[in-house]
Amino acid sequence: MSNANATEQPGTVIPALLLIEDDPAVAAFIQEALEMFFSVDVLVARTADQARRLWRQQRESLIVAILSDLNLPGESGLSVVYELTRERANVLVVFATGDSHRQPEILARIGAAVRVLPKPFRPSELRGVFEAILPA
């Protein structure tokens, strides 16, 4: 979905964020908050397969960040994000999880450029994670 607040001019490229979240209410909350704070196109995937499809579409080159739930139905968010980012290390990766004790595992598997956002979180915390890379 496109950001309704973004002023799109011909030739302007709006960065995209891939949101991987299976809970529709949580996904809507995150998408609304991100689009309120930033000029970003939030691409929502509810499953690992949807995330793979979105990533591989032509928009892949515009995706500057991934925000993923750690626990997805049938597959770990950690596994799918690792798969997607193997060839593109310049993408900011953030995992939203209630399992904060898994942070060492996440960092070891993906790398130090990963951030962990403990659930539940406030919109201001979400904003703080992305404000260095997404345009306001």
Side-chain angles (χ1 to χ4, degrees):
M1 296 186 159
S2 290
N3 178 2
N5 297 326
T7 304
E8 296 184 42
Q9 299 177 4
T12 300
V13 177
I14 295 177
L17 179 140
L18 178 58
L19 171 59
I20 310 170
E21 172 59 63
D22 61 307
D23 184 317
V26 173
F29 162 76
I30 293 171
Q31 181 176 10
E32 184 178 316
L34 289 171
E35 290 180 347
M36 179 177 60
F37 293 130
F38 304 108
S39 294
V40 63
D41 190 8
V42 179
L43 308 173
V44 180
R46 298 251 159 67
T47 67
D49 287 339
Q50 286 179 347
R52 287 182 187 97
R53 277 194 299 277
L54 286 170
W55 180 259
R56 291 190 177 107
Q57 288 176 355
Q58 65 183 6
R59 307 237 22 181
E60 172 193 339
S61 61
L62 301 178
I63 296 173
V64 297
I66 298 173
L67 173 57
S68 179
D69 188 359
L70 201 54
N71 300 311
L72 299 172
E75 191 166 353
S76 162
L78 188 60
S79 295
V80 73
V81 169
Y82 177 75
E83 175 188 332
L84 297 179
T85 60
R86 277 187 304 203
E87 298 173 10
R88 283 197 53 213
N90 63 335
V91 176
L92 173 65
V93 174
V94 178
F95 285 101
T97 181
D99 300 330
S100 59
H101 68 278
R102 293 186 64 191
Q103 186 166 349
E105 172 194 356
I106 294 167
L107 296 177
R109 179 102 186 251
I110 304 289
V114 172
R115 297 184 186 173
V116 178
L117 187 59
K119 286 182 179 178
F121 52 83
R122 294 184 299 275
S124 61
E125 293 171 301
L126 185 63
R127 182 181 189 176
V129 169
F130 292 103
E131 64 188 351
I133 66 156
L134 294 176

